[in-house]
Amino acid sequence: MTPDVWMILAFAGLLIAGVPVAFSLALSGAVGIVLGLSPDMLATLGTNTYNSIAKYPLIAIPLFILTGLIFERAGVALRLVRFAQALIGPRHGGLALVAVLVCMIMGGMSGSGPADAAAVAMVMLPSMTKAGYPKPFSATLIAASASTAILIPPSVALILYSIVVPGVDLRALFAAGLFPGVLAGLALLVPAMLVAKRYGWEGTPVEGTEKLTVRGTFREALPALFAPVLILGGLRSGLFTPTEAAVVAVAYGAVVGLFLTRELTLRDVWELLGEAAIISGVVMLIIALAGIFAWSGTMLGTFRHLAEWIISLTDNGVLLLILVMLAVLVAGMLLDAISIYLIMMPILIPVMQHFEWNPVWFGILLAMNIAIGQFTPPVAVNLMVTTEVAKIRLEHTIGWALLFVVAMGCALALVAIFPSIALWLPTVLGYNV
């Protein structure tokens, strides 16, 4: 067997053995270097890991992670829920609609599905349970809705995609993700409302919400609603870059928590800085060690060989796109978004270029696929968060998860068939697509 085959087999074997993704990438990359190049080339490990993370746009990732943590601690989710409840009122499926809307708005602040799922689940699950919603349904709906955070800007995954794929404008990606993200939320809402009506869940006002008024709750939720406007407006006006937008988001979240909601203290800020550093450290470790795998695969020609093999499967671009989407969906069930981008994009970039797929549109399709994987067992990171909050087992949610997978799959199919759903807004805004 050739060295690049040994490298791929080593990576697969390490994953099956339970070795963390970051170290599986590094060790298999080292195997490729030793067998295919020279043991002396192991001296490049330090340089490759540094070069992988020494990129200015990556600064946005830890900052948006910190933004999500700050807004979660500042009580923003609770205020958004109250406003949505007052706006929608008592009706069958009303709380399901509230959960989807709040997840989408929170996604426009954090850019992280798990953080979004945790914040909304802690607020929504008690109310939905009192209203008669089964916990498995509620936990799955929130997990699925929180996955739209990977599409609705600012998205940590789209930031990484813009770095991995050369020549892609992050502002165009952010704009392109907006309508597909809304479409995905609506796709989840349709079966949720139908199921709620079918079983008669929640036809009377939820206890404690009778006195909520739209005007009063809107005033409380206004600082939270303004956050996405500030971020996207600043990007559109050219006032700041995406990386600078992350700094602005952190500062704005701190002001909201410390002085407006007053649920955040300086001690909380210090704790959140440490928590964000831990999460960011894990993300950056994966990116850094993936640099070894990427360099080894490039030098050995592994990615080129795999891309050529994929292209040789069929000349039909539509059929190959379907196969790629299915492969990414399976990967999304097992790996996180960052790992998928780092592992698969070196292989998929030549395929994308061969069939002349629009890189912005293709990036949104990948993000939608990965979003589905975030609430699809066996490794469903969003679902793990919400089931932990609900105190139920993951197996209890599988039936509901499949329902929402089909729903979001329909949204994915629409974006694949009609690329203008993703590309219309960035084109109108004048971004390079």
Side-chain angles (χ1 to χ4, degrees), residues 241-289:
T241 66
T243 304
E244 292 165 348
V247 180
V248 172
V250 170
Y252 178 74
V255 169
V256 169
L258 290 170
F259 302 109
L260 296 181
T261 66
R262 297 186 179 181
E263 293 189 21
L264 198 65
T265 65
L266 292 176
R267 181 183 293 273
D268 291 331
V269 173
W270 179 253
E271 291 177 357
L272 292 176
L273 285 170
E275 190 174 341
I278 293 172
I279 298 172
S280 302
V282 173
V283 173
M284 291 301 179
L285 181 65
I286 296 174
I287 296 173
L289 295 184

Side-chain angles (χ1 to χ4, degrees), residues 7-180:
M7 186 179 76
I8 297 297
L9 290 177
F11 175 66
L14 289 167
L15 281 183
I16 294 171
V19 178
V21 173
F23 296 104
S24 297
L25 288 168
L27 292 172
S28 57
V31 168
I33 291 172
V34 171
L35 297 180
L37 300 173
S38 167
D40 295 338
M41 297 299 289
L42 291 175
T44 63
L45 296 185
T47 304
N48 287 324
T49 53
Y50 173 76
N51 289 340
S52 299
I53 57 175
K55 298 172 182 175
Y56 176 70
L58 282 178
I59 298 173
I61 293 179
L63 289 172
F64 276 125
I65 290 172
L66 179 58
T67 301
L69 294 173
I70 288 176
F71 274 110
E72 177 186 344
R73 188 73 64 90
V76 166
L78 177 60
R79 285 164 174 77
L80 288 173
V81 167
R82 286 174 177 169
F83 172 59
Q85 286 177 327
L87 193 65
I88 295 167
R91 65 183 72 234
H92 289 302
L95 281 180
L97 175 56
V98 169
V100 174
L101 289 178
V102 173
C103 281
M104 292 170 66
I105 297 173
M106 287 292 292
M109 302 176 200
S110 66
S112 169
D116 193 355
V120 177
M122 287 188 286
V123 177
M124 288 297 306
L125 274 170
S127 298
M128 295 183 76
T129 302
K130 287 181 182 178
Y133 291 86
K135 283 186 177 181
F137 171 85
S138 303
T140 310
L141 176 63
I142 294 172
S145 302
S147 71
T148 59
I150 203 174
L151 291 163
I152 297 175
S155 164
V156 171
L158 292 182
I159 293 172
L160 185 60
Y161 179 84
S162 71
I163 296 170
V164 175
V165 182
V168 175
D169 187 345
L170 179 56
R171 296 174 302 168
L173 275 174
F174 277 178
L178 189 58
F179 285 163

Side-chain angles (χ1 to χ4, degrees), residues 26 66 165 170 195 226 260 285 322 324 355 392:
L66 179 58
V165 182
L170 179 56
V195 169
F226 183 68
L260 296 181
L285 181 65
I322 294 173
V324 169
F355 287 98
I392 58 175

Side-chain angles (χ1 to χ4, degrees), residues 405-420:
V405 165
V406 172
M408 193 176 282
C410 293
L412 171 62
L414 285 174
V415 177
I417 296 170
F418 304 104
S420 57

